[in-house]
């Protein structure tokens, strides 16, 4: 960003005196400049923020009340018609049931992550290796994960081969029926995102002062007591953050199902549907209404979470 | 059971659970690595996914993936987007953080609230409308679309920078100001160098996000020449169909750089994600 304040300033003349002067009775021009400086730094960030976050949200709400197709110059105001259509056409609403699988999977994911975070925050051999292994999937490209697991669930693929080692020959298409496909895909999500929850929990547990455990041990507390009375309360803020991330993540599940099945066999999620409505069927109006509904749900979940677990650490100001 | 033997059993179970988890994580990846080294003939013989490849140094599939799968141009495009959006994020984020922390000005609170609330809006929900804006700027199907989106909508990095700017003593700014430094000089010569740890965090977190993102390039860069690694790999689905040996080679090619970065930067990556997510 160009520094206009620097250019207007006289060249380094008696700096101390000038600053004192400015502080006492700053002349108007100087005061104006001082007031302008933060805006010079904020101009670019604010323009980007408004253009790519707030303008889209405002436009989206506006589109949601129209029948726009996203291309033609013509768009008609249709009132709440899109919202009525969303709520009354059952096939449009079905996608929310798919989120149920992901929601259930996140519950499993949180419990498993919590278990491993607790185990690995105490002395365990090869600790760093296990930490790395559990976290690494989170860093892997989503498309690569999609392919890895397409092969995993393939007929005669990894899963079938492993099962046949144990003498089980299920001989089934894992992605073939809606229930088994959704369970499989939700399982892939757990595999992928477990690491993030795990690392967050681990960080929180390790920020608990070690003396607490020692003191508890002296008082005769065992591991379970320590977990119940020291770890659980200590990580409450992170736990509640994880819960919102999981809920909004489950509602907006996209990559894994889109890459692996493209939404076939009943695995279409809300975002896949919205993307299809908007970019394949040119129903920008309806897609916008769907997106507004999703946004409202996510905001509501966040709001409820903030009410239930007041986070005193929001100290941005 | 005595106390000692019970403790020993618990310990054994703990290790067992860790080993099982590691197998669950590693096995699917290792099988893909094995598959990528097999020839088309071996695959056709249906030898089973766990079978070792006949020739473990058979890199034919990688050559195919590189040439027919256009992985080289994909890595180029990804690098281009990565460079600009990471640099942009660092500049934008640190400038915003500097202005918010070091100045008291009118509308400061509303500005802060604007950044704060934006963090609650999930990116996937607004793309229907964002698309129209990108399109109206003529950036659709160009590498600038993802660059401006990655740069302009990253609130987390502003938080990370804000935490760090706050820990830099104000007296440093004041001393510089007494020496006649302008606001911009202070930002460039004092704040930015002292922000180095925060910059490292943001570069890592942002870099991994951009490298792995699929949604934005998929929506905004449909032409084949503009494939980034995610979208180019996704296109393997078409031409290679059921040729799992080729698809696997592509997947391994994409995962490998991440693995190397992870092995070298482990500690910073953990820290980055803990900081990024909890802020």
């Amino acid at each position: 960003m160009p520094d206009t304040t620097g250019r207007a300033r006289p060249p380094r003349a008696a700096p101390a005196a000038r600053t004192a002067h400015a502080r006492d009775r700053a002349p108007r021009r100087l005061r104006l400049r001082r007031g302008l400086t933060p805006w010079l730094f904020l101009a670019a960030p604010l323009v980007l923020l408004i253009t790519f976050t707030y303008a889209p949200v405002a436009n989206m709400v506006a589109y949601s009340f129209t029948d726009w197709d996203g291309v033609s110059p013509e768009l008609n105001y249709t009132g709440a018609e899109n919202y009525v259509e969303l709520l009354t056409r059952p096939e449009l609403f079905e996608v929310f049931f798919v989120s149920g699988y992901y929601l259930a999977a996140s519950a499993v994911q949180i419990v498993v992550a919590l278990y491993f975070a607790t185990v690995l925050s105490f002395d365990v051999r090869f600790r760093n290796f296990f930490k790395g292994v559990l976290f690494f999937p989170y860093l892997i490209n989503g498309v690569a994960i999609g392919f890895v697991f397409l092969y995993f669930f393939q007929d005669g693929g990894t899963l079938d081969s492993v099962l046949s080692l144990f003498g089980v020959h299920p001989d089934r298409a894992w992605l073939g029926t809606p229930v088994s496909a959704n369970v499989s895909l939700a399982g892939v999500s757990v595999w992928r995102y477990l690491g993030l929850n795990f690392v967050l929990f681990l960080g929180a547990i390790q920020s608990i002062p070690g003396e607490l455990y020692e003191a508890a041990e002296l008082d005769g507390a065992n591991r379970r007591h320590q977990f119940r009375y020291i770890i659980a309360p200590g990580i409450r803020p992170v736990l509640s953050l994880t819960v919102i991330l999981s809920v909004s993540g489950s509602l907006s599940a996209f990559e894994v199902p889109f890459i692996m099945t493209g939404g076939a066999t009943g695995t279409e999620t809300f975002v896949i549907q919205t993307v299809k409505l908007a970019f394949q069927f040119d129903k920008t109006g309806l897609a916008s209404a769907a997106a507004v509904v999703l946004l409202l749900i996510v905001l509501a979940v966040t709001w409820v979470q903030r009410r239930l677990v007041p986070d005193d650490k929001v100290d941005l100001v | 059971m005595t106390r000692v033997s019970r403790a020993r059993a618990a310990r054994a179970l703990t290790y067992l659970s860790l080993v099982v988890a590691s197998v669950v994580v590693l096995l699917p990846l290792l099988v893909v690595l094995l598959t990528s080294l097999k020839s088309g003939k071996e695959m056709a013989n249906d030898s089973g996914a766990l079978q070792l490849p006949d020739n473990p140094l058979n890199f034919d599939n990688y050559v195919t993936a590189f040439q027919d799968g256009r992985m080289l141009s994909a890595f180029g495009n990804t690098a281009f987007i990565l460079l600009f959006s990471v640099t942009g994020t660092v500049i934008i984020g640190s400038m915003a953080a500097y202005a918010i922390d070091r100045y008291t000005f009118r509308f400061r609170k509303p500005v802060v609230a604007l950044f704060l609330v934006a963090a609650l809006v999930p990116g996937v929900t607004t793309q229907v409308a964002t698309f129209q804006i990108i399109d109206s700027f003529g950036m659709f199907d160009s590498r600038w679309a993802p660059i401006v989106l990655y740069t302009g909508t990253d609130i987390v990095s502003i938080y990370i920078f804000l935490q760090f700017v706050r820990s830099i003593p104000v007296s440093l700014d004041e001393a510089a100001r007494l020496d006649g430094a302008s606001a911009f000089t202070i930002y460039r010569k004092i704040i930015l160098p002292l922000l180095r740890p925060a910059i490292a965090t943001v570069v890592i977190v942002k870099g991994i996000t951009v490298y792995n993102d699929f949604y934005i390039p998929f929506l905004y860069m449909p032409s084949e020449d503009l494939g980034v690694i995610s979208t180019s790999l996704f296109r393997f689905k078409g031409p290679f169909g059921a040729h799992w040996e080729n698809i696997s080679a592509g997947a391994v090619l994409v995962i490998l750089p991440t693995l190397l970065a992870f092995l070298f930067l482990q500690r910073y990556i953990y820290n980055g994600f803990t900081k990024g997510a909890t802020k």
Side-chain angles (χ1 to χ4, degrees):
Chain A
M1 174 174 293
D3 176 27
T4 47
T5 52
R7 230 173 287 139
R9 182 159 285 178
R12 305 190 181 230
R18 207 194 33 150
T19 323
H21 170 76
R23 215 170 272 155
D24 291 339
R25 38 196 155 81
R28 258 184 86 136
R29 210 161 52 90
L30 199 67
R31 235 184 314 158
L32 191 73
R33 207 158 64 196
R34 273 280 157 78
L36 213 63
T37 315
W39 294 107
L40 292 173
F41 284 95
L42 280 172
L46 273 179
V47 165
L48 287 170
L49 178 75
I50 291 168
T51 320
F52 298 109
T53 301
Y54 286 99
V57 171
N59 285 347
M60 193 170 76
V61 174
Y63 297 151
S64 75
F65 294 104
T66 67
D67 63 354
W68 196 33
D69 61 4
V71 193
S72 74
E74 223 172 291
L75 77 177
N76 304 308
Y77 174 76
T78 55
E81 210 172 87
N82 288 324
Y83 291 95
V84 173
E85 195 177 342
L86 266 186
L87 295 177
T88 49
R89 266 173 55 190
E91 74 271 24
L92 290 179
F93 210 71
E94 243 161 40
V95 288
F96 276 112
F97 297 112
V98 175
S99 312
Y101 289 96
Y102 292 91
L103 217 49
S106 353
V108 174
Q109 181 179 318
I110 290 175
V111 172
V112 175
L114 202 52
Y115 165 77
F116 284 118
T118 312
V119 165
L120 288 175
S121 55
F122 295 103
D123 198 27
V124 170
R125 238 187 267 203
F126 308 116
R127 209 171 117 196
N128 285 331
F129 170 78
F130 288 126
K131 259 172 74 174
V133 167
L134 285 173
F135 181 61
F136 184 61
Y138 180 71
L139 302 177
I140 304 180
N141 187 286
V143 182
I145 292 182
F147 286 159
V148 166
F149 279 93
L150 269 178
Y151 190 59
F152 185 84
F153 291 118
Q154 181 92 335
D155 197 16
T158 315
L159 186 54
D160 285 349
S161 304
V162 170
L163 286 176
S164 66
L165 283 184
F166 293 99
V168 184
H169 298 276
D171 204 25
R172 61 182 295 174
W174 294 99
L175 300 174
T177 64
V179 172
S180 129
N182 276 316
V183 171
S184 304
L185 294 184
V188 176
S189 280
V190 174
W191 186 91
R192 183 177 184 193
Y193 293 110
L194 181 86
L196 180 64
N197 291 354
F198 162 75
V199 161
L200 293 184
F201 292 150
L202 198 68
I205 293 176
Q206 278 169 353
S207 69
I208 300 171
E211 303 94 69
L212 280 182
Y213 300 114
E214 284 164 30
E217 241 158 72
L218 286 180
D219 287 343
N222 61 22
R223 275 287 147 78
R224 200 173 309 148
H225 292 139
Q226 288 180 0
F227 181 81
R228 170 80 184 74
Y229 296 105
I230 301 174
I231 296 179
I235 61 168
R236 225 170 71 120
V238 174
L239 198 58
S240 87
L241 175 89
T242 307
V243 171
I244 341 178
L245 288 181
S246 306
V247 174
S248 64
S250 306
L251 289 167
S252 42
F254 171 73
E255 277 195 12
V256 167
F258 185 81
I259 292 160
M260 289 182 60
T261 63
T265 49
T267 58
E268 189 161 277
T269 66
F270 198 85
V271 178
I272 297 182
Q273 187 186 60
T274 308
V275 167
K276 280 191 177 165
L277 282 177
F279 303 110
Q280 267 176 34
F281 305 124
D282 293 332
K283 295 201 167 191
T284 305
L286 189 59
S288 299
V292 170
V293 169
L294 179 59
L295 182 59
L296 287 177
I297 296 175
V298 171
L299 291 180
V301 169
T302 315
W303 183 77
V304 167
Q305 184 268 347
R306 293 239 178 255
R307 281 338 278 281
L308 289 179
V309 189
D311 184 8
D312 43 15
K313 278 204 306 187
V314 184
D315 55 350
L316 196 65
V317 186
Chain B
M1 241 198 292
T2 65
R3 242 187 110 168
V4 175
S5 66
R6 212 173 26 200
R8 204 171 281 163
R11 225 175 147 64
L13 276 180
T14 307
Y15 279 107
L16 184 68
S17 69
L18 286 167
V19 169
V20 169
S22 307
V23 170
V24 169
V25 169
L26 295 178
L27 189 75
L29 298 173
L30 287 176
V31 168
V32 165
L33 179 64
L34 286 186
T35 309
S36 74
L37 298 171
K38 288 182 184 170
S39 67
K41 221 174 173 182
E42 281 175 83
M43 290 301 288
N45 286 343
D46 207 20
S47 55
L50 299 177
Q51 202 91 42
L52 291 177
D54 292 344
N55 172 13
L57 292 176
N58 165 27
F59 293 117
D60 291 351
N61 299 317
Y62 289 89
V63 175
T64 313
F66 249 111
Q67 286 172 349
D68 301 354
R70 297 178 169 228
M71 287 313 270
L72 204 58
S73 101
F75 275 107
N77 285 330
T78 303
F80 182 88
I81 292 172
L82 207 56
L83 181 73
F84 280 93
S85 29
V86 169
T87 315
T89 306
V90 168
I91 294 172
I92 294 286
S94 56
M95 283 200 314
Y98 172 67
I100 290 173
D101 187 69
R102 289 303 209 246
Y103 289 88
T104 43
F105 51 92
R106 254 216 286 185
F107 306 119
R108 183 167 166 276
K109 280 201 171 173
V111 166
V112 172
L114 223 51
F115 284 111
L116 193 77
V117 172
L120 302 178
V121 178
V124 284
T125 59
T126 50
Q127 296 309 322
V128 178
T130 308
F131 185 86
Q132 306 298 337
I133 289 178
I134 291 284
D135 198 26
S136 70
F137 287 154
M139 283 191 282
F140 174 66
D141 212 12
S142 85
R143 290 182 288 194
W144 297 104
I147 290 173
V148 294
L149 286 174
Y150 293 139
T151 308
T153 55
D154 188 6
I155 315 297
V156 173
S157 69
I158 296 183
Y159 289 175
I160 294 176
F161 281 126
L162 209 53
Q163 303 292 327
F164 272 83
V165 173
R166 226 179 253 167
S167 68
I168 300 173
V170 183
S171 53
L172 283 180
D173 300 32
E174 276 162 3
R177 187 157 288 137
L178 285 182
D179 285 343
S182 67
F184 184 70
T185 314
I186 294 173
Y187 163 76
R188 202 171 57 87
K189 294 245 167 93
I190 296 175
I191 303 290
L192 262 191
L194 287 174
L195 277 182
R196 222 172 282 149
I199 293 176
T201 302
V202 168
V203 167
I204 288 175
V205 174
K206 191 73 187 172
I208 290 171
T209 317
V210 171
Y211 182 84
N212 287 338
D213 189 39
F214 169 71
Y215 192 50
I216 286 179
F218 175 72
L219 280 187
Y220 294 99
M221 301 192 301
S223 10
E224 220 167 302
D225 299 338
L226 293 176
V228 293
I229 56 146
S230 299
T231 44
S232 298
L233 184 61
F234 186 64
R235 287 195 188 107
F236 274 41
K237 243 185 161 175
F240 299 123
H243 287 280
W244 280 106
E245 68 280 14
N246 292 330
I247 295 183
S248 300
V252 172
L253 273 179
V254 167
I255 296 174
L256 219 53
T258 318
L259 180 65
L260 291 178
F262 176 65
L263 291 179
F264 284 116
L265 301 169
Q266 251 188 72
R267 195 149 38 97
Y268 305 99
I269 291 180
Y270 288 134
N271 288 341
F273 276 95
T274 339
K275 277 194 194 97
T278 49
K279 288 288 133 60

